Amino acid sequence: MPIVTLRKDCTMFWIFYDGASVVSLSNEDLFSSTNSIISSFPQDIKGAEVEYEE
């Protein structure tokens, strides 16, 4: 189990091996929601939020 300690203005992205998913740990406002993360991508990169049902 990874243990992460974030300092002021710190962000960690954990990209899954297939590139289809990402986990974001951040204390910066820019990365406070899925929409704000997607809006920070370069213009030619597409992002989408997918919710899974059980």
Side-chain angles (χ1 to χ4, degrees), residues 23-46:
V23 172
S24 171
L25 301 173
S26 181
N27 57 16
E28 293 189 47
D29 288 341
L30 175 61
F31 304 117
S32 62
S33 71
T34 304
N35 288 336
S36 64
I37 292 170
I38 291 171
S39 70
S40 73
F41 293 165
Q43 290 183 347
D44 57 335
I45 302 296
K46 304 294 183 215

Side-chain angles (χ1 to χ4, degrees), residues 1 4-5 10 14-15 21 23 28-29 34 36 40-42 44-45 47 49 53-54:
M1 171 183 293
V4 178
T5 302
C10 185
W14 184 343
I15 301 171
S21 300
V23 172
E28 293 189 47
D29 288 341
T34 304
S36 64
S40 73
F41 293 165
D44 57 335
I45 302 296
E49 181 177 7
E53 294 184 31
E54 293 186 33

